[in-house]
Amino acid sequence: MYDYSNLIDGEWITGEGDAFETLNPARPAEVVGRYSGASARQITVAVQAASAAQRAWRRSTAVERFAAVEAFVTGVLARAEELAVSITREQGKPLAESRGEVAKSCAEARIMAAQAFRSQGDVMPSARPGIRNMVVRRPRGVIAAITPWNFPILTPMRKIVPAIAFGNAVILKPSEFTPSTACILAEVAQALLPRGIVQVVNGKAAAGSHLVRHKEVAGVTFTGSVPTGKAIFAATADTLAELSLELGGKNAAVVNDAGDLGACLDQITGAACMCAGQRCTAISRVLVRRDLYAATLDGLASRFNATVLGDGMNAGTTMGPLVNAAQLAKVDAMVNDAVRDGARVVCGGSPAKIAGCDGGYFYAPTVLADVDPAMRIAREEVFGPVLVVLAFDSIDHALGMLNDVDFGLTSAIFSEQNTVVQRFIDESENGMIHVNHGTIPDNHMPFGGIRNSGVGAYSVGPSAINFFTTEHSVYIKGQ
Ligand code: ADP
């Protein structure tokens, strides 16, 4: 049983806010964690402590910070198995996926630490004789990080590590459904980093809202749903804090002329079903050339039907439950609405009962055919193991359907035709574009989206510096 409060200014402080529990989504009768949430007053204390700590931290050298981040990542890896178990127990994903998430979060962290160690400015030409012009970067200040439940370590690490590597202090408010992992990270930070540089406050929406509104917060990095992203955008209008919002997706794979359709469907299945489809980068639409439609449906159904649903802690489980009852109800309602409107269930299509997992939030991996692009299931994020398959007659038709959604996160095309591929690269309205493979991103590449999928600098990659630092033009006149 996890039992955590809040890491504020180097100490674990019992919350004055609401207490809450987390449940094992595979067996919801089992309480996994108890947390005492931080009050608005305590969040203010945390922000003040962060400001004070950051004033000292920003004076440390990049070499010192690089060493501190390396020690922190090593400390995280020393608890890798415990962290992976905490992810599976609260989030539900198979333990192998949780282990992979821990490893990826640390690999990304090391690359971001190296990124913060690279040259960070410019020497510019001058307009006036005797004056040298430079552009320098400084740490932004206090960063508020708000994270969701689908990646309980990856998303917090993606925010904590660049924040501190670039000389900021960070306050993390993890999801109320999966806080244990973030609290273990807080223990590692408490042991290895100067006090106040990394703090963790627990709570629900109200705690996040207090944190992002605080006037001493200079930057807000958020990953989560579009409505909450918009609420944070509006809330920060008052403080004009810098924003980096990573929101949802309605990601599509376009299958035009896959040389090896089987290999293509393997990748689509992985991208659709990992984390039970609860990933912002999950593929949730397949747009397929009409002559490949029937073979695609057959191939997807046989792959989806091979899924082993179960408790993520059991060896052999390939898909865990959805994270909570609300998510299960939402996925079920969206599929039912689609079927009512004429979609055909190729496989799955309902919640699933699993022996030994009473009341678990399982949903059978689902493929839907005969879907109209106007249906809600073809336009809105499902966040479940549900794939809709639509046929196209030309690449214009495919690109039209691809871009006719509000999101713009990631996309893939399978084609051996150069002209088709070139058009996709130019016209896919997404932050990430993959050709002839699934949507798995590299650890060092910019990660983010356009349109309703995100605002501000992408996380990880070279451009993240634009969020984590401020820019200053310097003019130096010799005496
Ligand atoms: P989901 O968890 O379904 O992605 P959200 O986007 O609402 O949904 O949640 C992501 C994170 O945002 C969670 O940590 C949640 O507590 C937090 N949160 C929710 N509402 C707000 C808000 N108005 N301001 C700040 N944080 C919020």
Side-chain angles (χ1 to χ4, degrees), residues 66-400:
F66 186 81
V69 170
E70 179 54 31
F72 176 67
V73 174
T74 304
V76 170
L77 283 171
R79 297 181 70 174
E81 189 62 13
E82 190 189 346
L83 285 157
V85 168
S86 75
I87 295 170
T88 293
R89 293 195 65 208
E90 285 187 331
Q91 201 283 334
K93 67 180 71 174
L95 190 56
E97 282 187 32
S98 300
R99 288 177 177 143
E101 186 187 332
V102 174
K104 180 174 169 64
S105 74
C106 290
E108 268 191 15
R110 286 194 157 125
I111 290 170
M112 282 314 297
Q115 201 66 49
F117 201 61
R118 293 183 54 199
S119 68
Q120 294 178 16
D122 272 316
V123 177
M124 302 280 288
S126 166
R128 288 162 282 182
I131 294 191
R132 187 185 299 275
N133 290 358
M134 293 194 304
V135 180
V136 300
R137 296 225 161 234
R138 292 197 207 144
R140 187 171 288 281
V142 175
I143 302 293
I146 310 281
T147 54
W149 43 258
N150 53 348
F151 287 97
I153 189 167
L154 185 66
T155 321
M157 286 286 279
R158 224 174 234 182
K159 300 183 186 311
I160 290 173
V161 167
I164 62 175
F166 282 109
N168 302 286
V170 58
I171 303 171
L172 170 69
K173 204 299 282 172
S175 167
E176 58 271 34
F177 294 105
T178 57
S180 64
T181 314
C183 291
I184 297 172
L185 293 180
E187 287 177 341
V188 176
Q190 182 188 26
L192 297 173
L193 295 172
R195 65 191 287 160
I197 293 300
V198 175
Q199 301 178 82
V200 172
V201 293
N202 280 305
K204 301 185 181 178
S209 180
H210 286 304
L211 178 57
V212 302
R213 282 167 200 276
H214 200 287
K215 64 180 185 330
E216 284 179 57
V217 167
V220 177
T221 166
F222 167 77
T223 303
S225 64
V226 175
T228 302
K230 287 183 176 174
I232 289 174
F233 194 109
T236 52
D238 233 19
T239 60
L240 292 178
E242 181 70 19
L243 278 179
S244 173
L245 305 181
E246 296 272 0
L247 309 175
K250 189 68 194 173
N251 314 300
V254 177
V255 183
N256 187 65
D257 56 298
D260 180 348
L261 185 63
C264 160
L265 297 182
D266 284 343
Q267 297 189 61
I268 291 173
T269 302
C273 291
M274 196 188 287
C275 201
Q278 301 166 112
R279 301 186 307 135
C280 54
T281 51
I283 289 180
S284 66
R285 298 184 291 158
V286 178
L287 312 181
V288 59
R289 213 175 61 191
R290 199 171 295 280
D291 57 311
L292 298 174
Y293 188 68
T296 297
L297 291 178
D298 285 351
L300 288 171
S302 63
R303 285 167 177 77
F304 274 47
N305 285 331
T307 305
V308 181
L309 280 169
D311 182 339
M313 292 301 290
N314 293 347
T317 294
T318 59
M319 185 187 287
L322 300 182
V323 73
N324 56 34
Q327 201 55 36
L328 180 64
K330 180 190 159 203
V331 172
D332 196 32
M334 284 183 81
V335 171
N336 288 339
D337 285 357
V339 170
R340 186 201 58 213
D341 293 343
R344 173 164 57 92
V345 175
V346 179
C347 62
S350 61
K353 290 206 184 323
I354 305 298
C357 291
D358 282 352
Y361 306 128
F362 295 95
Y363 197 84
T366 299
V367 175
L368 296 177
D370 302 342
V371 171
D372 187 292
M375 287 179 185
R376 194 173 154 226
I377 199 109
R379 314 185 67 78
E380 291 182 20
E381 194 170 43
V382 181
F383 242 53
V386 178
L387 202 48
V388 299
V389 186
L390 301 111
F392 65 80
D393 299 303
S394 67
I395 195 63
D396 287 304
H397 187 194
L399 289 169

Side-chain angles (χ1 to χ4, degrees), residues 414-450:
F414 291 83
S415 175
E416 291 175 346
Q417 293 177 35
N418 183 37
T419 47
V420 168
V421 168
Q422 297 294 343
R423 279 199 62 194
F424 190 80
I425 294 170
D426 287 341
E427 296 177 37
S428 168
E429 292 181 23
N430 289 281
M432 293 175 281
I433 294 168
H434 297 261
V435 177
N436 289 324
H437 60 96
T439 50
I440 296 175
D442 281 354
N443 294 335
H444 62 287
M445 285 285 281
F447 179 98
I450 59 173

